[in-house]
Amino acid sequence: MTTKKRQLIKKRQDYISWDEYFMGIAILSAMRSKDPNTQTGACIVNKRNKIVGIGYNGFPVGCSDDKFPWTNKGNNPLKTKYFYVCHAELNAILNSHSRDLGDCRIYTFLIPCNECAKAIIQSGIKEIIYLSELAAMYQKNENTPTVLAALKMFKSAGVKMRKMKARGKITIVYKK
């Protein structure tokens, strides 16, 4: 190819942004979850846009997902999933290939709960990017005590929160 012809070829303009790319990885990770009600994913990225951790919600390693409850309703909390499931954010931190997550950012579906907030803050992650559209899809309320506690801790610790509005191609991936 001649130099003149090469100059006429321009790069594609409809590629996805870094935010869409990393949120897409979080969405793809969520597809590994066996939870029949809510599938969530998380992706941790460092300052150089390198993925350092990925996770999805599920039971801890060694706990059979056939022997623990998947239900999210019931009078006895020991017979629901809530005491047993590891959230996507925690799994991404625990599965990270780097123990230094300082100045990283995490892409996740929803505003993290208070328990994940503690792990995020302790790990050194400085920014949370979440998809607002999924909160409505999963009927999660941003005014629950667990979310309000998380927001209070994030503010106190100087962790930035950013709501990402999905556009274009990424909206296709997470539609049920």
Side-chain angles (χ1 to χ4, degrees), residues 43-98:
C43 179
I44 302 173
V45 181
N46 68 18
K47 292 185 283 192
R48 294 180 23 220
N49 286 329
K50 305 292 181 207
I51 296 171
V52 296
I54 298 173
Y56 56 88
N57 59 313
F59 294 125
V61 174
C63 293
S64 171
D65 51 35
D66 293 322
K67 295 181 181 176
F68 283 85
W70 282 110
T71 186
N72 59 353
K73 294 181 173 103
N75 293 335
N76 183 349
L78 291 173
K79 294 188 178 197
T80 69
K81 66 180 180 178
Y82 294 113
F83 283 168
Y84 310 108
V85 169
C86 290
H87 288 179
E89 300 91 338
L90 180 59
N91 269 331
I93 292 167
L94 295 173
N95 294 332
S96 67
H97 65 76
S98 171

Side-chain angles (χ1 to χ4, degrees), residues 13-144:
Q13 296 298 313
D14 64 341
Y15 56 90
I16 62 175
S17 68
W18 283 117
D19 279 349
E20 290 169 317
Y21 176 71
F22 296 126
M23 190 61 75
I25 299 293
I27 290 168
L28 186 63
S29 298
M31 293 177 186
R32 280 284 310 141
S33 175
K34 297 175 184 174
D35 190 322
N37 301 299
T38 306
Q39 302 83 45
T40 59
C43 179
I44 302 173
V45 181
N46 68 18
K47 292 185 283 192
R48 294 180 23 220
N49 286 329
K50 305 292 181 207
I51 296 171
V52 296
I54 298 173
Y56 56 88
N57 59 313
F59 294 125
V61 174
C63 293
S64 171
D65 51 35
D66 293 322
K67 295 181 181 176
F68 283 85
W70 282 110
T71 186
N72 59 353
K73 294 181 173 103
N75 293 335
N76 183 349
L78 291 173
K79 294 188 178 197
T80 69
K81 66 180 180 178
Y82 294 113
F83 283 168
Y84 310 108
V85 169
C86 290
H87 288 179
E89 300 91 338
L90 180 59
N91 269 331
I93 292 167
L94 295 173
N95 294 332
S96 67
H97 65 76
S98 171
R99 286 293 143 213
D100 180 12
L101 299 178
D103 293 328
C104 286
R105 60 193 188 276
I106 188 168
Y107 290 81
T108 186
F109 287 17
L110 308 170
I111 297 171
C113 72
N114 63 308
E115 292 299 322
C116 290
K118 295 174 203 176
I120 288 167
I121 293 165
Q122 286 295 95
S123 72
I125 292 171
K126 294 298 181 201
E127 185 176 16
I128 300 160
I129 300 94
Y130 67 99
L131 263 179
S132 59
E133 290 87 347
L134 289 173
M137 183 167 124
Y138 286 125
Q139 300 175 335
K140 299 290 181 185
N141 186 345
E142 292 184 8
N143 293 318
T144 62

